[in-house]
Amino acid sequence: MKTKAAAIRLLIVIGILLFVKSYILDIRRISGHSMEPALSNGQVVVILKLAYGIPAPGTNRYIYRWRMPQQGDIVLYAIDGRYVIKRCVRTEGAHLNFILNPHGKSEDYASLLLDERMIPLTRIQLKNLGGFLPTVEQKIPAGFILAIGDNAAQSRDSRDYGFVAADS
């Protein structure tokens, strides 16, 4: 009888832990140098899954949302079948300021001006961010964010795959 009660308690604890990991907290190890110096390769971080709302199981939607990602937030999202951690540098509706060939260097087609920081862009990256659209349309679409690694030279981010859905 004691064995059966212990097994039930163990199953309840495992169920609670799985629920917490699925819907409330997650633990991830940083792999790579794209977020240095804020986050270092090998560092372990705790992800609060309830930061923006209650996620719907198995989808990129929320049952209830109380907050959108804000500029400066560090966000986790899935891209190409894996999770990445980047910084939200701009949110929906923000206008983007592109400068074509700012330094005359042949490898940089353009730059994205973020406050006082210039992020180099290739021609493809400029296209991914809408840099060829008319100036009035060069903004982040509703429901999306611009996510870039703090160490842009070592980062594969929104410049490479476009804007990130805020729900993801």
Side-chain angles (χ1 to χ4, degrees):
M1 196 62 136
K2 288 182 182 181
T3 311
K4 187 175 182 179
I8 290 172
R9 281 195 299 273
L10 179 62
L11 287 175
I12 290 171
V13 168
I14 290 171
I16 290 170
L17 290 174
L18 286 173
F19 178 81
V20 168
K21 181 165 177 21
S22 296
Y23 300 104
I24 299 172
L25 294 173
D26 199 1
I27 298 172
R28 299 278 174 167
R29 181 176 302 278
I30 302 299
S31 174
H33 303 279
S34 70
M35 285 300 293
E36 290 179 344
L39 301 172
S40 301
N41 186 40
Q43 184 176 356
V44 175
V45 294
V46 176
I47 309 295
L48 176 59
K49 291 184 172 187
L50 296 175
Y52 302 112
I54 301 171
T59 68
N60 277 343
R61 285 184 249 150
Y62 284 85
I63 295 169
Y64 182 78
R65 177 188 288 284
W66 44 72
R67 183 172 175 254
M68 292 290 284
Q70 302 296 307
Q71 185 173 320
D73 287 358
I74 295 177
V75 294
L76 170 90
Y77 57 92
I79 193 77
D80 296 335
R82 62 186 215 120
Y83 286 97
V84 296
I85 295 177
K86 305 294 177 196
R87 188 171 304 276
C88 173
V89 295
R90 293 290 185 272
T91 58
E92 65 181 17
H95 287 276
L96 300 174
N97 187 4
F98 299 103
I99 302 169
L100 293 179
N101 203 359
H103 303 296
K105 291 192 249 176
S106 60
E107 65 270 11
D108 295 343
Y109 185 81
S111 281
L112 172 62
L113 183 60
L114 296 173
D115 302 320
E116 300 299 317
R117 184 174 162 203
M118 287 182 58
I119 308 290
L121 302 172
T122 65
R123 184 178 174 86
I124 292 170
Q125 290 172 332
L126 180 67
K127 182 181 178 199
N128 288 344
L129 297 178
F132 291 112
L133 294 171
T135 304
V136 69
E137 294 178 33
Q138 294 176 355
K139 62 183 179 180
I140 299 173
F144 289 84
I145 64 169
L146 176 65
I148 295 182
D150 288 355
N151 183 1
Q154 295 288 317
S155 184
R156 185 172 180 275
D157 48 41
S158 283
R159 296 170 296 165
D160 301 297
Y161 42 73
F163 302 112
V164 177
D167 282 347
S168 68

